[in-house]
Amino acid sequence: MKKVLIVSGHTDLNNSFANKIILEKLAKDLPEAVFDYLDKEYPDFTVNVKAEQKKLVEADVIVLQFPVFWYSYPSIMHRWMEDVFVHGFAHGSKGKALQGKKLVASFTTGAPEELYVKDGPQLYPIEELVIPAIKSTANLCGMEYAGFIYTGGVSYASRPDAEQIKVMRAKAENHAERLEALLNEI
Ligand SMILES: Cc1cc2nc3c(=O)[nH]c(=O)nc-3n(C[C@H](O)[C@H](O)[C@H](O)COP(=O)(O)O)c2cc1C
């Protein structure tokens, strides 16, 4: 059976709505998967490089689960990647540890999906903003980019609205289901 590692890049899951629901549903439905909550592991951003490299080495499929912050993944996930995906481990002539593993991106945005269109309010489709760096990372590390799951319109600005909360909960649960289906396929 393939081993799935789900890395949560939310900077504060205690203050999350969508990513929290997604991760809770995944944890319930995928008891065999390993969950790596970067905000809980490294509240001061001091990453245990060896421990994180071990988790990656043991996985066949790596899921990056995050809220989009400034059109990219949040700071804690950048730090994790900078410290862990180093030359000699993840890339370079002797850096073969991640070769052949599958990389999946799973992310949410506050702005609704329909704003992420060419020349629209957000200027670019979401897959042109978030996905290129992830694809290039996979490519550099000899990994296989295996697709993305995306949900927009889960804004903290909508949290006081009970109707919006229902809609956002349903979207987050549906997100987890779509991710589970992708993980089944790959
Ligand atoms: C620092 C910061 C930057 C953000 N940048 C973006 C952004 O670039 N595009 C966007 O659509 N939403 C942006 N958002 C909204 C988040 O993506 C949204 O709140 C998150 O996906 C909801 O997930 P959560 O409920 O798990 O926190 C940003 C939020 C914060 C706090």
Side-chain angles (χ1 to χ4, degrees):
M1 211 167 113
K2 65 187 174 227
K3 289 186 187 149
V4 177
L5 172 68
I6 298 174
V7 183
S8 166
H10 202 295
T11 43
D12 181 12
L13 274 177
N14 291 330
N15 192 28
S16 156
F17 181 82
N19 282 257
K20 191 161 177 271
I21 291 171
I22 292 166
L23 286 158
E24 281 173 358
K25 181 159 170 54
L26 293 173
K28 190 163 133 275
D29 295 349
L30 306 174
E32 308 285 306
V34 175
F35 290 80
D36 192 10
Y37 302 100
L38 297 180
D39 65 327
K40 293 189 170 46
E41 292 278 357
Y42 309 115
D44 68 352
F45 280 48
T46 305
V47 176
N48 182 334
V49 175
K50 288 282 170 247
E52 292 303 314
Q53 289 179 337
K54 185 166 181 283
K55 289 177 203 170
L56 291 169
V57 166
E58 286 171 354
D60 303 309
V61 179
I62 296 150
V63 178
L64 304 179
Q65 172 65 49
F66 58 95
V68 169
F69 283 3
W70 290 108
Y71 308 105
S72 184
Y73 27 78
S75 48
I76 183 79
M77 191 165 252
H78 273 282
R79 170 58 72 90
W80 168 80
M81 205 169 271
E82 287 164 16
D83 287 358
V84 177
F85 285 51
V86 288
H87 185 267
F89 172 77
H91 61 99
S93 60
K94 294 198 174 105
K96 313 243 181 257
L98 303 181
Q99 281 195 354
K101 297 179 189 298
K102 294 189 164 125
L103 187 64
V104 172
S106 173
F107 52 91
T108 59
T109 63
E113 289 91 340
E114 59 270 22
L115 300 193
Y116 284 102
V117 288
K118 190 164 171 45
D119 299 329
Q122 298 283 6
L123 295 186
Y124 298 100
I126 197 75
E127 51 270 49
E128 287 183 22
L129 283 167
V130 177
I131 299 301
I134 292 174
K135 270 191 180 166
S136 292
T137 300
N139 176 60
L140 184 72
C141 300
M143 302 171 85
E144 182 191 328
Y145 167 71
F148 74 92
I149 301 296
Y150 163 57
T151 297
V154 283
S155 170
Y156 48 85
S158 303
R159 286 187 200 172
D161 182 326
E163 264 317 297
Q164 279 304 311
I165 284 280
K166 264 195 218 159
V167 172
M168 294 198 301
R169 176 173 295 280
K171 286 179 103 163
E173 285 171 356
N174 173 267
H175 183 115
E177 281 160 19
R178 287 184 287 130
L179 177 57
E180 288 166 20
L182 176 65
L183 292 173
N184 257 334
E185 260 169 46
I186 61 176

